[in-house]
Amino acid sequence: QVQLVESGGGLVQPGGSLRLSCAASGGTFSSYAMSWFRQAPGKEREFVAGINWSVTYYADSVKGRFTISRDNAKKTAYLQMNSLKPEDTAVYHCAAVRYGRSFILTATHEYGYWGQGTQVTVSS
């Protein structure tokens, strides 16, 4: 089992930047692929970014603006968000899926571990 706790959300102006963190405990962090998902009110939860081993993946809507990374020594995953837009407003969740089988990185149902979420609001 692994527990995930997000932090770093808040209010930011359009064009601004924010860095989200996802701290893990209770498991072997290096054994998991990590991803970020987001959900806006009235919308489905959507994949934002993921890191599988050292390979990163991004939704088209955030490519070139967001960067996912991880620090295994600190047991933490990060999402650096630049050039933020109002449409980025959502609750952001980190999620983990253990290595050892094939999986679809962008699929919500593949993840057994989720953080509580952190609110990101982009507004003037």
Side-chain angles (χ1 to χ4, degrees):
Q1 296 291 109
V2 62
Q3 294 78 48
L4 307 174
V5 179
E6 302 100 332
S7 62
L11 176 65
V12 64
Q13 296 181 355
S17 297
L18 211 57
R19 186 179 182 87
L20 306 183
S21 298
C22 176
S25 63
T28 305
F29 183 72
S30 61
S31 297
Y32 295 85
M34 301 295 298
S35 289
W36 290 91
F37 292 79
R38 68 186 182 187
Q39 187 167 23
K43 295 186 177 181
E44 294 287 311
R45 183 170 295 184
E46 65 174 347
F47 174 82
V48 176
I51 182 165
N52 187 4
W53 298 102
S54 62
V55 182
T56 58
Y57 303 83
Y58 299 94
D60 289 341
S61 60
V62 306
K63 192 172 296 182
R65 299 188 297 121
F66 291 10
T67 303
I68 188 171
S69 62
R70 67 189 296 164
D71 187 330
N72 287 341
K74 296 181 179 179
K75 299 181 179 180
T76 302
Y78 304 94
L79 184 67
Q80 177 66 47
M81 304 183 293
N82 299 325
S83 302
L84 283 162
K85 305 174 181 179
E87 64 196 65
D88 295 319
T89 296
V91 176
Y92 284 71
H93 298 263
C94 66
V97 55
R98 189 176 178 88
Y99 297 126
R101 62 172 179 84
S102 62
F103 57 86
I104 302 171
L105 190 71
T106 60
T108 303
H109 66 81
E110 296 280 17
Y111 294 82
Y113 307 101
W114 293 85
Q116 83 289 347
T118 184
Q119 176 71 47
V120 172
T121 302
V122 185
S123 179
S124 299

